[in-house]
């Protein structure tokens, strides 16, 4: 076995003389030796067993299924902290990018205030505009990045950024092509920069049989969780089912 110290000149004192001393190495990327890696047992969920704490995730369903209602409900719960549906919530600032139906969304938000589900002074910021997040390093991405930084200066780094909807923030790209790769990558970059969850509200294929998200398979492959919202015909009941999780127990 080659001696790693030959490449650094800085062997580690103690039990592992062949390992270099990471404190004396100048490297452009952060790294850890296996001896320093520990198990992460908690703090991995924004909403217990439902939404992971960081990365891109997607909440999807048919038109009229209640996607935005649920997304807003979850966002309000994060902004307030405490519990949601009996699940522990890691509270924190929320940014909601509402790219369509802004008037109706404002009405829903005020209704939540009137119902004491969110307070007027909660760290919840609404961005009522459509932007293009599909282009790599495009104006839409840079605008969201700059706006989020400005909001963070006032209330702290966001715990959750909701993007509602994918179709209204996809620009001229095609959802069924590799254009989806750059879109998901931009959502992931935002999540990494602010160490938060980016929750993408999206649609389900119109045939109603496919339980997956509409569009290219790179969306499912690139997100940490997928939640399907469904409404039963002739019923006011709405259900939310986790159909994909990158970490934790397998989804049904």
């Amino acid at each position: 076995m080659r001696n790693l110290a030959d490449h650094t000149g800085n062997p580690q004192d103690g039990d592992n003389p062949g390992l270099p001393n990471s404190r004396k190495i100048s490297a452009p990327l952060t790294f850890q030796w296996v001896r320093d890696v520990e198990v992460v047992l908690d703090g991995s969920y924004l909403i217990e067993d439902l939404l992971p704490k960081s990365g891109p995730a997607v909440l999807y369903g048919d038109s009229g299924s209640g996607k935005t209602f649920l997304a807003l409900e979850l966002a309000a719960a994060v902004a307030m902290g405490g519990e949601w549906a009996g699940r522990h919530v890691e509270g924190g600032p929320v940014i909601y990018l509402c790219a369509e139906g802004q008037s109706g969304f404002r009405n829903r938000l005020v209704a939540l205030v009137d119902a004491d589900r969110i307070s007027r002074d909660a760290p919840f910021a609404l961005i009522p505009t459509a932007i293009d997040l599909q282009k790599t390093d495009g104006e839409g991405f840079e605008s969201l990045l700059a706006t989020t930084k400005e909001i963070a200066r006032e209330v702290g780094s966001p715990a959750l950024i909701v993007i509602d909807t994918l179709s209204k923030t996809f620009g001229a790209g095609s959802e069924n092509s590799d254009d989806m790769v750059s879109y998901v990558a931009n959502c992931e970059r935002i999540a990494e920069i602010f160490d938060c969850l980016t929750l993408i509200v999206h649609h389900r294929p119109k045939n109603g049989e496919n339980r997956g998200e509409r569009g290219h398979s790179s969306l499912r492959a690139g997100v940490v969780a997928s939640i399907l919202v469904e409404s039963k015909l002739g019923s006011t009941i709405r259900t939310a089912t986790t159909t994909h999780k990158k970490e934790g127990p397998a989804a049904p």
Side-chain angles (χ1 to χ4, degrees):
M1 185 176 75
R2 65 177 180 169
N3 185 356
L4 296 178
D6 291 342
H7 298 278
T8 64
N10 296 311
Q12 172 73 26
D13 295 333
D15 296 333
N16 299 290
L19 290 176
N21 186 338
S22 60
R23 291 174 296 178
K24 296 181 181 179
I25 295 175
S26 177
L29 300 177
T30 301
F31 65 93
Q32 286 182 293
W33 298 114
V34 65
R35 64 174 180 264
D36 299 322
V37 177
E38 298 179 353
V39 174
V40 179
L41 296 176
D42 54 17
S44 59
Y45 282 100
L46 187 62
I47 298 182
E48 183 183 1
D49 294 329
L50 183 68
L51 290 179
K53 202 168 185 178
S54 62
V58 62
L59 188 154
Y60 66 105
D62 295 322
S63 295
S65 62
K67 301 183 298 296
T68 294
F69 279 102
L70 180 57
L72 177 55
E73 180 87 11
L74 296 174
V78 172
M80 294 298 291
E83 285 192 353
W84 179 82
R87 302 168 186 261
H88 175 71
V89 177
E90 288 286 335
V94 172
I95 296 174
Y96 201 112
L97 174 60
C98 182
E100 61 177 297
Q102 288 91 354
S103 295
F105 183 86
R106 287 186 175 95
N107 291 340
R108 295 169 188 167
L109 183 55
V110 171
L112 282 184
V113 172
D114 292 342
D116 293 326
R117 304 295 288 274
I118 186 171
S119 65
R120 282 287 186 182
D121 58 355
F124 184 110
L126 170 63
I127 301 177
T129 187
I131 61 175
D132 184 354
L133 289 175
Q134 189 274 319
K135 292 181 180 178
T136 303
D137 296 324
E139 182 180 349
F141 174 84
E142 295 298 334
S143 295
L144 179 58
L145 179 61
T147 304
T148 301
K149 287 180 178 178
E150 185 63 31
I151 293 170
R153 290 189 188 99
E154 186 168 339
V155 296
S157 188
L160 173 65
I161 299 175
V162 181
I163 300 170
D164 188 356
T165 61
L166 183 150
S167 64
K168 292 299 183 180
T169 56
F170 208 78
S174 170
E175 292 180 13
N176 293 303
S177 73
D178 287 341
D179 290 342
M180 186 68 78
V181 176
S182 57
Y183 182 89
V184 175
N186 278 337
C187 293
E188 185 172 17
R189 286 177 62 198
I190 288 288
E192 289 177 348
I193 290 170
F194 296 100
D195 189 24
C196 71
L197 183 75
T198 50
L199 182 61
I200 307 161
V201 180
H202 189 35
H203 293 88
R204 183 180 180 182
K206 290 183 179 180
N207 59 28
E209 297 177 0
N210 191 330
R211 287 176 64 81
E213 304 88 341
R214 189 177 74 188
H216 198 270
S217 60
S218 57
L219 176 60
R220 169 64 66 94
V223 299
V224 295
S226 297
I227 299 173
L228 171 62
V229 182
E230 296 178 289
S231 59
K232 295 183 178 181
L233 185 64
S235 173
T236 58
I237 295 175
R238 304 289 191 270
T239 61
T241 305
T242 299
T243 58
H244 164 70
K245 268 187 184 179
K246 188 163 285 188
E247 302 287 347

